[in-house]
Amino acid sequence: QVKQANRKALMVVFTDESLYEHGRRFSNQYGNAFTGAPAHLDMNPDDTELREAFEVRLETSLEDFQSPAGYYYEHFGPDWSYAFGTHHSNILMAWHYARHNEELAAHYATEHERFIDWLSYNAVKQPGDEFFMLHRSIESRQSQALRRRLETPLSEVVPLARAFNVTREEAEQRQAEVRRRVTSNWGNIPSLQTENFNGYSAYTFLHRDHYRWNPDESQRQEAGQSLPYLASENFIHQRVDDLTHFETTFVRRPTYYAAFSAGEQQREQQRFGLGLLWNPVTGTVFQSQSRSEDAAWGTVMHGRTSLPWEALPMEAVYYIDGVEVEPVAGAEDLDGGVLEISYPLGSTGVFSGIGEKKLTFHDDVISVDVAHQGQFTEVLPLVVQSQSHIHVDHERGVIQIIGSESSDSEKLRIEIADPEVLESIYVLNTRSLGAGMSVRPVHIMADGSLSYTITLNPQEPLATENPENIPSHALQTIRLMEGFPNPFNPVTNIFFELNNGSDVHLDVYNAMGQRVISREHGYHGIGRHTIKLDAGQFASGIYLVRLKASGQVESLTVTLIK
């Protein structure tokens, strides 16, 4: 009866046009049928009717379910969690049955090769070779900032996949560790959770008997050197999906690697624009966050909403050495030269013509120029490791990511050309991304225009007349933590720690950029402290809290809901 029910379900999926169209939007779901059919046919090799229905749908699947840019359609956009979860499970199981069938094996190998090729431009290796940071702002359904390793047997026939795979030795070590834990805990079985969607998963057992293949360390290292941003120090590469008018552009220069996206928005959580910045020595220093209001790269108009313009559909224009380049569906290497990308701000509705933004990718620096009517905030989602910190020099308009305690090396430098905004730079509270990485958004308030440059791993030290002003980890006087409760009504607590005794000053700004509270809180000694913030006289909305101690400024956002 189970076999008959499975067959009926597969036949409906393969013959019902409405299910096929639904599968084009959520391709991981239809992918289950492309996995279930080989399993059914393995048990029922004479079922020619189902085999024919399966092969008809499989023939068009690469075109209908996978973008010419390489990703699987999830709400017609790219999504990392589904790609690494259901999609990966689907192809692992399908390969178990298809690898001995030349035609089916070629299909699944092509599918996997296209996805791995897409992944190789969007996942950058971190120092230590333990995990990859993702170009996450474009993700269409779920949320994932980084990825450690895959375990894909198709890396046997798709060599580049080995760069992401677990090695044989690592797989054996992990299995031994799991066996050790199970043995030591044997009999201590927790209660079965049946109400939660993820409470009991058949995936635990699904792949136990499926075919495995893992590279050795030398094979993985060799594949790793073939990752595009490691194999070359100079290229411009573009990937375009013509179904949804979605474009991603990747720029490699000797000191940096950048990912930029534009096009039609498929989900509200997506953010366009500059999404990722990486350096081969220091790793990722910039990652725009999906779903975010204050940690996604972009320009926010005061008094409109707290979302950047880059949270809306975005039509970009591309120039190389002054010559316009028209995006083409699929994957394409563009001619070398200086790439310039420009796009309008506020291109829809009553905000049409509100401004324009331009990025220029030079050999050693990225320059950004913003023209905007009225006041706005520029958001820079900087990424720091556990021993790194952000330093802001308000006098010179310089923002830096500085290395560990034992090394004051500069990982990133942002220099602002507009002297009038130098007192309006705020570093917001830290948010963990996992694996010791955190995002610390920097907000720059400006009026009318803003120009700044981004340099990764600067080779020249920042000129200074007073060497004592060079920042070090020890100079971080204040650490600002989350407000609690947040959201709040009408009182919240602002928690902070001081490494040195200092007078403390509190400022609060509304969404218009207006300062609504400015208060001296006197001297505080070393240790943890709390300031109560009463916003009973203010309207609901997002507020920026700025705390200053010993010349250092830290900021966070809180939400008042009445």
Side-chain angles (χ1 to χ4, degrees):
Q1 288 177 329
V2 170
K3 288 168 67 176
Q4 290 172 357
N6 275 328
R7 184 188 186 282
K8 182 178 180 179
L10 287 167
M11 286 300 297
V12 169
V13 169
F14 290 143
T15 57
D16 188 301
E17 290 297 332
S18 65
L19 291 180
Y20 187 79
E21 287 304 312
H22 176 84
R24 293 187 66 193
R25 181 174 290 272
F26 305 104
S27 62
N28 79 91
Q29 298 176 14
Y30 211 94
N32 284 319
F34 290 145
T35 293
H40 172 86
L41 292 170
D42 184 69
M43 293 185 289
N44 305 275
D46 296 329
D47 192 342
T48 55
E49 182 185 21
L50 188 136
R51 184 183 300 278
E52 290 174 358
F54 163 55
E55 290 175 350
V56 166
R57 290 306 191 191
L58 191 67
E59 185 177 353
T60 60
S61 65
L62 292 180
E63 178 181 348
D64 289 341
F65 298 147
Q66 193 172 16
S67 166
Y71 57 85
Y72 299 106
Y73 287 128
E74 288 299 328
H75 227 295
F76 287 129
D79 188 81
W80 298 117
S81 291
Y82 274 107
F84 297 139
T86 311
H87 281 290
H88 187 64
S89 172
N90 287 343
I91 201 164
L92 191 157
M93 181 172 173
W95 186 251
H96 175 79
Y97 295 105
R99 69 187 193 279
H100 296 309
N101 180 307
E102 184 176 350
E103 187 175 346
L104 282 181
H107 172 91
Y108 289 112
T110 299
E111 174 189 325
H112 198 58
E113 183 176 35
R114 289 174 60 179
F115 171 72
I116 291 295
D117 201 32
W118 160 257
L119 177 64
S120 70
Y121 283 93
N122 288 278
V124 289
K125 293 175 70 172
Q126 294 304 108
D129 202 31
E130 294 182 0
F131 62 95
F132 296 81
M133 295 290 286
L134 300 171
H135 179 202
R136 71 172 306 187
S137 57
I138 57 177
E139 56 194 352
S140 57
R141 295 189 65 189
Q142 298 194 43
S143 182
Q144 188 165 346
L146 55 89
R147 178 73 191 188
R148 290 194 182 273
R149 292 289 177 184
L150 296 176
E151 190 157 357
T152 167
L154 280 87
S155 62
E156 183 177 12
V157 296
V158 181
L160 189 59
R162 300 169 189 173
F164 302 98
N165 213 358
V166 174
T167 65
R168 295 167 198 164
E169 182 181 24
E170 289 170 341
E172 291 169 358
Q173 291 174 347
R174 182 187 60 192
Q175 185 173 354
E177 174 60 20
V178 171
R179 178 171 290 279
R180 184 195 64 78
R181 291 202 309 267
V182 170
T183 301
S184 63
N185 259 338
W186 190 254
N188 299 323
I189 303 172
S191 300
L192 179 63
Q193 302 296 317
T194 57
E195 296 179 358
N196 189 296
F197 178 80
N198 296 312
Y200 182 77
S201 173
Y203 285 105
T204 302
F205 303 98
L206 179 63
H207 299 303
R208 279 179 53 83
D209 297 325
H210 289 158
Y211 178 72
R212 303 280 178 167
W213 190 93
N214 297 87
D216 59 33
E217 183 60 34
S218 65
Q219 289 173 313
R220 185 167 73 181
Q221 291 295 331
E222 181 181 0
Q225 293 306 309
S226 298
L227 293 170
Y229 53 87
L230 293 177
S232 173
E233 290 188 344
N234 209 314
F235 64 76
I236 303 172
H237 182 80
Q238 195 168 64
R239 289 177 174 254
V240 177
D241 180 78
D242 53 349
L243 176 65
T244 61
H245 182 55
F246 172 71
E247 306 149 3
T248 51
T249 306
F250 307 95
V251 184
R252 179 69 163 101
R253 295 293 181 258
T255 60
Y256 67 86
Y257 178 67
F260 179 93
S261 60
E264 294 294 333
Q265 190 182 43
Q266 297 305 307
R267 294 293 298 277
E268 291 182 357
Q269 72 177 56
Q270 290 179 299
R271 304 289 181 261
F272 293 138
L274 192 61
L276 190 70
L277 283 175
W278 172 92
N279 174 272
V281 176
T282 59
T284 302
V285 294
F286 183 107
Q287 185 193 55
S288 187
Q289 307 299 301
S290 64
R291 304 187 180 191
S292 177
E293 294 186 353
D294 59 8
W297 183 75
T299 304
V300 181
M301 178 181 176
H302 291 187
R304 175 182 166 265
T305 69
S306 56
L307 291 174
W309 293 115
E310 287 79 358
L312 297 173
M314 197 171 87
E315 186 172 350
V317 183
Y318 307 88
Y319 299 89
I320 296 180
D321 290 340
V323 179
E324 185 172 352
V325 176
E326 195 70 32
V328 178
E332 182 180 22
D333 289 321
L334 305 180
D335 292 336
V338 176
L339 172 67
E340 180 182 298
I341 304 176
S342 62
Y343 57 93
L345 301 172
S347 58
T348 59
V350 296
F351 296 109
S352 178
I354 201 75
E356 185 179 36
K357 199 164 186 175
K358 180 177 72 175
L359 293 85
T360 307
F361 297 87
H362 302 280
D363 282 348
D364 56 355
V365 67
I366 301 169
S367 63
V368 182
D369 298 287
V370 185
H372 193 286
Q373 294 181 22
Q375 294 180 327
F376 64 92
T377 296
E378 187 74 358
V379 181
L380 305 170
L382 304 187
V383 172
V384 294
Q385 301 177 31
S386 56
Q387 297 300 318
S388 300
H389 64 280
I390 294 175
H391 174 79
V392 178
D393 187 329
H394 289 273
E395 293 183 0
R396 291 184 293 179
V398 176
I399 304 163
Q400 298 164 290
I401 297 180
I402 307 297
S404 64
E405 293 184 40
S406 60
S407 171
D408 284 332
S409 60
E410 241 185 319
K411 297 185 175 185
L412 172 140
R413 182 192 303 164
I414 296 171
E415 297 182 74
I416 302 169
D418 309 63
E420 63 271 16
V421 305
L422 301 188
E423 289 299 322
S424 302
I425 306 172
Y426 310 103
V427 183
L428 272 63
N429 44 309
T430 300
R431 302 175 188 185
S432 175
L433 301 173
M437 309 292 288
S438 300
V439 61
R440 295 213 68 184
V442 175
H443 286 200
I444 306 170
M445 292 186 180
D447 191 345
S449 65
L450 177 69
S451 295
Y452 58 94
T453 59
I454 305 173
T455 307
L456 275 69
N457 197 28
Q459 299 301 306
E460 296 295 329
L462 186 64
T464 176
E465 296 179 0
N466 181 6
E468 294 180 358
N469 288 335
I470 297 176
S472 69
H473 189 75
L475 294 180
Q476 294 299 292
T477 298
I478 184 172
R479 186 168 73 92
L480 189 57
M481 291 161 277
E482 292 281 354
F484 182 82
N486 188 24
F488 69 100
N489 179 26
V491 178
T492 187
N493 296 299
I494 307 300
F495 300 103
F496 63 97
E497 288 183 352
L498 296 178
N499 291 335
N500 299 295
S502 173
D503 289 329
V504 174
H505 183 88
L506 176 76
D507 288 318
V508 179
Y509 296 81
N510 63 18
M512 300 283 291
Q514 300 166 325
R515 185 163 58 184
V516 294
I517 293 177
S518 182
R519 188 175 301 151
E520 296 288 348
H521 280 271
Y523 182 85
H524 288 65
I526 297 173
R528 183 169 179 172
H529 306 278
T530 304
I531 292 177
K532 286 189 178 296
L533 175 62
D534 189 340
Q537 71 272 36
F538 301 130
S540 296
I542 296 177
Y543 290 83
L544 177 73
V545 178
R546 178 190 182 196
L547 211 61
K548 184 176 183 179
S550 295
Q552 181 189 341
V553 178
E554 294 283 299
S555 305
L556 60 79
T557 55
V558 293
T559 303
L560 173 63
I561 298 179
K562 289 186 174 181

